[in-house]
Amino acid sequence: MGPMDYESNSWIWDGVCYYPHLFGGLMLTAALLGFSTSYFSGNGAPSLPFFWSDFGIFQKRKSEKKRIRVYMDGCFDLMHFGHANALRQAKALGDELVVGVVSDEEIIANKGPPVLPMEERLALVSGLKWVDEVIANAPYAITEQFMNRLFNEHKIDYIIHGDDPCLLPDGTDAYALAKKAGRYKQIKRTEGVSSTDIVGRILSSMNDATDSKNHNETSPNGDSNKESSSHGALSHFLPTSHRIVQFSNGRGPGPNARIVYIDGAFDLFHAGHIEILKSARQLGDFLLVGIHNDQTASKLRGKQFPIMHLHERSLGVLGCQYVDEVIIGAPWEITRDMITTFNISLVVHGTVAENNPFASDSDPYAVPKSMGIFKLLESPKNITTTSIAKRIVANHDAFKKRNAKKVESEKKYYAEKKYICGD
């Protein structure tokens, strides 16, 4: 008996296993019918597989498990690794993750002006590796009408949110209806980062930059004052190897993979980063991203940078669906040894980058250029970390007022915080 025969008759063995008594009775009946037919007419009885295949109870059951669809919404303004980790946790509660991105108008009404417009926030959310679908212009509060739309039109099984309270201006819970319907699930908030925190870092770093222009920040012993609030004073994030593993793809390139390398600071991970990484990934089979350390970023861009420290920036890049692997603390200059070590086929760089007044005279891409494996990519978006920071500075009063309210709620959350199991 060949493999095909065994597969086509496997329903017989299912019958023996799951319906022994019924199967035995049918076997006896079929045997008697076969004997009588062959005895009186001389014709052989139909083969058992043909005969029994008409009984649906013996057809192999293909139990298809219903795919669980979960929904999570948010403003996702100044997208950071905390947002990414929330969506990672949400995806783990189901099979398909649908993400609602709150409209600009709803954010203004409930929180104050967003830093990033809807187009940029959509690009960031869509670029995450855990997101399957995106709903634009979602409401800030889960209304009954929108909840029914989620359940009926989008086939959502559960609505997800973090353990931190999400209150409307009138003090009511934005997810009260979902909880009442019994279709609400909670995840653990990612500690150490928030959009409020990042806005505070930016405002502080811009003040530091202004002060350094207006004052000579030299201590009596002649050393420059290198301490900056943007370099960790406002960051409460505690990086762990477990978190990095959670964000990692956990796989390397294939033996004949075309490996593309791109590097940068990737500070305040934004839509411009997403688009250039997408373009780079399309040029090969495996995208390796080098992330410069804090000292390199500060030396090249000024002491107020980076806004996010190395491990925060690494997680931001690792969450992108176009990225396969990162080098945490990549060197500024790309050497021949590095190209050989990582088997790099192509080195790319975007046309849009930060203005680097402190950059060294040496070309960091001299070696790949000499090897004929360097390509300058046209940047799809004209966005930089500095341009985003300037948006906040330009609306300094509005963001300072917004942050003052949010900082108080953040302090209250941390003061009343209790341990919640989760990751």
Side-chain angles (χ1 to χ4, degrees):
M1 179 182 289
M4 293 298 292
D5 295 328
Y6 177 81
E7 179 65 24
S8 63
N9 295 335
S10 62
W11 56 268
I12 297 177
W13 310 115
D14 289 346
V16 174
C17 179
Y18 296 110
Y19 306 95
H21 300 297
L22 184 56
F23 192 88
L26 285 172
M27 274 189 70
L28 180 60
T29 302
L32 289 172
L33 285 171
F35 171 76
S36 61
T37 304
S38 61
Y39 182 83
F40 292 108
S41 66
N43 296 325
S47 66
L48 293 182
F50 175 80
F51 180 79
W52 285 329
S53 62
D54 290 335
F55 290 86
I57 57 172
F58 292 134
Q59 294 294 340
K60 192 167 187 178
R61 293 186 173 183
K62 295 181 179 179
S63 55
E64 291 187 4
K65 180 185 174 184
K66 180 185 181 298
R67 294 183 66 78
I68 302 298
R69 287 169 61 83
V70 296
Y71 171 83
M72 187 171 190
D73 59 16
C75 302
F76 303 108
D77 199 19
L78 288 177
M79 188 85 176
H80 51 72
F81 66 90
H83 292 134
N85 192 48
L87 295 174
R88 181 194 64 80
Q89 292 181 76
K91 178 64 177 283
L93 295 176
D95 302 301
E96 297 171 2
L97 175 60
V98 181
V99 180
V101 181
V102 177
S103 69
D104 294 344
E105 295 75 20
E106 289 271 296
I107 296 176
I108 292 171
N110 289 278
K111 298 179 72 172
V115 179
L116 308 181
M118 170 61 73
E119 178 195 0
E120 292 178 24
R121 292 184 288 117
L122 279 176
L124 283 163
V125 173
S126 301
L128 286 178
K129 62 174 69 172
W130 301 284
V131 176
D132 298 295
E133 297 176 27
V134 178
I135 299 175
N137 296 310
Y140 188 79
I142 302 289
T143 62
E144 187 169 359
Q145 180 183 7
F146 184 70
M147 187 169 68
N148 290 333
R149 179 185 162 196
L150 289 176
F151 294 158
N152 300 322
E153 182 181 331
H154 296 282
K155 307 301 180 186
I156 298 300
D157 295 288
Y158 297 102
I159 294 172
I160 317 294
H161 188 64
D163 62 322
D164 52 319
C166 182
L167 302 179
L168 300 173
D170 62 2
T172 58
D173 185 354
Y175 295 90
L177 286 175
K179 293 175 181 177
K180 186 177 179 181
R183 306 278 286 272
Y184 176 85
K185 287 191 176 185
Q186 185 171 281
I187 58 170
K188 185 176 181 179
R189 169 178 166 157
T190 303
E191 307 296 350
V193 68
S194 67
S195 297
T196 302
D197 165 46
I198 295 171
V199 169
R201 296 192 210 182
I202 292 171
L203 290 173
S204 178
S205 68
M206 293 301 107
N207 287 337
D208 288 345
T210 302
D211 290 343
S212 65
K213 287 181 181 179
N214 298 330
H215 304 283
N216 182 5
E217 295 185 349
T218 305
S219 60
N221 61 7
D223 295 329
S224 296
N225 180 10
K226 295 292 183 182
E227 184 178 353
S228 171
S229 57
S230 65
H231 290 104
L234 292 179
S235 175
H236 304 290
F237 175 58
L238 301 175
T240 63
S241 59
H242 180 60
R243 180 70 76 223
I244 293 174
V245 169
Q246 288 174 328
F247 274 56
S248 173
N249 286 346
R251 62 177 182 271
N256 299 313
R258 178 175 169 81
I259 300 172
V260 179
Y261 179 77
I262 185 171
D263 62 2
F266 296 98
D267 199 13
L268 289 183
F269 197 67
H270 53 69
H273 292 140
I274 288 280
E275 295 300 334
I276 195 67
L277 291 173
K278 181 180 179 180
S279 297
R281 182 63 175 81
Q282 291 171 345
L283 297 175
D285 309 305
F286 192 92
L287 181 59
L288 176 64
V289 182
I291 304 172
H292 299 149
N293 63 29
D294 296 347
Q295 292 74 21
T296 299
S298 183
K299 178 182 178 182
L300 296 171
R301 300 180 180 182
K303 63 166 289 184
Q304 71 271 27
F305 292 106
I307 304 298
M308 312 290 284
H309 67 59
L310 178 60
H311 289 98
E312 293 175 313
R313 293 183 284 117
S314 298
L315 288 178
V317 174
L318 272 174
C320 178
Q321 64 169 303
Y322 307 113
V323 175
D324 295 291
E325 182 62 287
V326 301
I327 300 176
I328 302 175
W332 168 244
E333 293 188 10
I334 301 171
T335 64
R336 187 176 294 269
D337 178 69
M338 178 180 167
I339 291 170
T340 303
T341 298
F342 292 100
N343 196 27
I344 296 170
S345 305
L346 182 67
V347 176
V348 299
H349 188 65
T351 53
V352 173
E354 297 287 344
N355 181 22
N356 302 329
F358 307 107
S360 60
D361 295 331
S362 61
D363 183 358
Y365 304 106
V367 171
K369 285 178 180 178
S370 69
M371 297 172 66
I373 61 168
F374 177 82
K375 182 179 178 67
L376 191 64
L377 282 182
E378 186 69 31
S379 297
K381 290 186 180 294
N382 187 22
I383 305 172
T384 64
T385 301
T386 300
S387 69
I388 291 176
K390 285 180 177 178
R391 297 179 194 177
I392 295 173
V393 174
N395 294 280
H396 181 275
D397 293 339
F399 282 109
K400 194 172 182 180
K401 183 179 179 181
R402 165 184 158 177
N403 254 37
K405 292 170 61 178
K406 291 292 292 180
V407 164
E408 288 305 313
S409 63
E410 292 268 312
K411 286 181 179 178
K412 184 180 179 182
Y413 168 79
Y414 280 108
E416 300 175 354
K417 182 178 87 168
K418 295 181 180 179
Y419 174 76
I420 294 178
C421 182
D423 61 358

